[in-house]
Amino acid sequence: MASSSVSSMILFIAAMLVAASVAGTLVTSVGDVSGSIDARSADAAETIDTEVDVISDPGSDAVYDESSTTVTLLVKNTGNGRLPTDAAKPDVLVDGQYVGASDRTLTVLGGGSEWLSGDVVRLELNVDLDPGEHRIVVIINGDREVFEFYV
């Protein structure tokens, strides 16, 4: 009888160790999933709050300056959130070619230091364009705006 109670005690301790291991693994997994959901929610909220519109006139001579090879776009924050004023933050493609941060500047018009909802920025791109049709894509926080014009 004593050996059966020792065996039962050993099985009980083994079952408790297995249960504790499983519980520890589940707690860690639930914590990881929770953190991932929080991060995705923050990214989704930022994407939802972000919306921009290029308000430059595609027919205007002010868009492209041949002598300085500069494209100037006016971009308005029409979303609900504050956008970064760092020229490296928006991704910019001109005719499918990426324009690096060193070849662009971003200036908030009106003298503000933040790009708030309703504010307009001047985005200047140093690119040499041939005569003809051109397409610029501006991407900020997942919002994509396309601007087409002729030189």
Side-chain angles (χ1 to χ4, degrees):
M1 191 75 152
S3 72
S4 119
S5 104
V6 170
S7 296
S8 296
M9 184 61 84
I10 291 173
L11 285 175
F12 177 74
I13 291 172
M16 287 291 117
L17 289 174
V18 169
S21 298
V22 169
T25 302
L26 287 176
V27 167
T28 302
S29 296
V30 168
D32 291 346
V33 169
S34 175
S36 177
I37 290 171
D38 288 344
R40 293 284 308 236
S41 296
D43 290 344
E46 184 177 79
T47 301
I48 290 169
D49 284 345
T50 301
E51 189 172 334
V52 296
D53 288 321
V54 176
I55 61 172
S56 294
D57 179 5
S60 170
D61 290 338
V63 172
Y64 183 65
D65 183 358
E66 268 186 84
S67 62
S68 66
T69 63
T70 302
V71 173
T72 302
L73 297 179
L74 299 177
V75 184
K76 184 174 185 175
N77 179 355
T78 56
N80 295 325
R82 175 184 307 157
L83 297 176
T85 56
D86 180 7
K89 294 297 180 186
D91 290 322
V92 180
L93 301 167
V94 176
D95 297 332
Q97 298 296 314
Y98 183 77
V99 179
S102 62
D103 289 324
R104 54 189 153 149
T105 60
L106 192 90
T107 307
V108 179
L109 299 181
S113 61
E114 296 182 340
W115 189 7
L116 303 173
S117 181
D119 287 347
V120 176
V121 297
R122 180 176 39 247
L123 177 62
E124 294 179 322
L125 311 170
N126 295 322
V127 291
D128 191 10
L129 299 177
D130 294 327
E133 182 180 357
H134 299 281
R135 178 184 173 114
I136 298 177
V137 179
V138 179
I139 304 167
I140 301 175
N141 293 345
D143 184 50
R144 183 174 185 254
E145 185 68 21
V146 177
F147 181 76
E148 295 178 344
F149 66 104
Y150 292 91
V151 173

